[in-house]
Amino acid sequence: MPFATTSDGIRLYYETQGTGDPLLLVMGQSGNHHGWDYVRADFAARHQVIVYDHRGTGQSDKPESPPYTTRAFAADAIAILDHLGIARAHAYGISMGGRICQWLGIDYPERMGALVLGCTTPGNKHGIPRPPEVDAAMRNRSGGLLNTLKIMTTTLSPQWIFTHPGYMRVAQAMMKYPTPPHALKLHNEASEGHDAWDLLPTIQSPTLVIHGSEDQVNVTANAPLLAGRI
């Protein structure tokens, strides 16, 4: 199986598909690469697509320390590009993955082409908070299928889920490698601790901010806030 190794010795599982300009797909909090299964082939028609499992998820190593941070997750992503010999790539991140992509644009401008920040925020300090009941669900994730489906219903409208039954296979595939409790906690702490506000104006990459109107995990009002700051 393909693995890249980070500077602190953590093995990260990755997969590539397609040819063309490299495109790194960055999954959200406690999710693994299967979260991209529904759309990966579409991107691979035009790009060399790279998907991977964050530390703590999927088939990657799951260390209990040091504390996870979104900035360190960005360094992990660069380790994968280094391993593949990719000097420059586009990056598309969703939710916590969008927070990670903010750091990719801030810390590694020479390595980034375009950025897509999907359903994400600039961090709790300056962002718009989610509803309290959704916040509690995110803090107390069990990692099981039912919990995953519950979270999905706060990010996708029931109508969309009903009309796209194939998306349920994504949740099932992600559950093949459930995220252990310690990593769920560390991922949540990393995402909740994100704060790139002061440095967002330094991002030079062409950046697209996109959001779904039914998202309750990262409420939509964060999209114009984030775009305006960049």
Side-chain angles (χ1 to χ4, degrees):
M1 292 188 292
F3 289 92
T5 303
T6 68
S7 60
D8 60 344
I10 302 302
R11 297 189 317 149
L12 301 175
Y13 177 81
Y14 71 90
E15 295 180 2
T16 64
Q17 180 180 354
T19 58
D21 286 345
L23 171 62
L24 183 71
L25 298 179
V26 188
M27 185 39 56
Q29 179 180 325
S30 73
N32 58 52
H33 75 277
H34 284 295
W36 293 104
D37 285 357
Y38 200 72
V39 296
R40 179 165 49 156
D42 294 335
F43 289 119
R46 297 182 61 183
H47 295 278
Q48 178 191 7
V49 172
I50 306 107
V51 295
Y52 67 101
D53 295 336
H54 296 297
R55 64 174 65 204
T57 74
Q59 297 174 72
S60 293
D61 291 344
K62 302 171 179 65
E64 298 188 15
S65 62
Y68 296 10
T69 68
T70 51
R71 202 167 199 171
F73 280 135
D76 286 351
I78 293 297
I80 290 174
L81 296 182
D82 288 344
H83 175 80
L84 291 170
I86 296 174
R88 195 165 181 267
H90 307 302
Y92 175 13
I94 60 169
S95 195
M96 188 183 80
R99 298 178 179 92
I100 295 167
C101 283
Q102 293 167 38
W103 288 119
L104 287 173
I106 292 166
D107 290 341
Y108 307 95
E110 74 285 355
R111 306 295 299 272
M112 292 293 106
L115 297 175
V116 181
L117 310 180
C119 56
T120 192
T121 82
N124 291 344
K125 185 176 181 180
H126 299 279
I128 309 300
R130 61 177 67 103
E133 64 276 12
V134 178
D135 194 44
M138 292 295 292
R139 288 197 311 270
N140 299 298
R141 299 178 74 168
S142 66
L145 180 59
L146 288 178
N147 184 259
T148 298
L149 293 174
K150 181 180 178 180
I151 296 297
M152 285 173 60
T153 62
T154 63
T155 58
L156 303 169
S157 70
Q159 180 183 6
W160 192 92
I161 294 174
F162 179 77
T163 56
H164 296 77
Y167 194 75
M168 291 299 100
R169 290 194 292 271
V170 173
Q172 293 169 341
M174 291 179 74
M175 288 302 99
K176 184 178 179 181
Y177 298 98
T179 304
H182 79 270
L184 288 170
K185 180 176 182 292
L186 290 168
H187 269 245
N188 186 68
E189 291 172 352
S191 189
E192 294 302 293
H194 174 76
D195 183 7
W197 184 260
D198 289 344
L199 294 173
L200 286 175
T202 69
I203 292 177
Q204 297 299 309
S205 296
T207 303
L208 172 66
V209 178
I210 60 176
H211 221 103
S213 61
E214 304 296 325
D215 192 350
Q216 300 178 59
V217 171
N218 295 299
V219 296
T220 314
N222 283 290
L225 183 69
L226 183 59
R229 183 63 177 169
I230 295 171

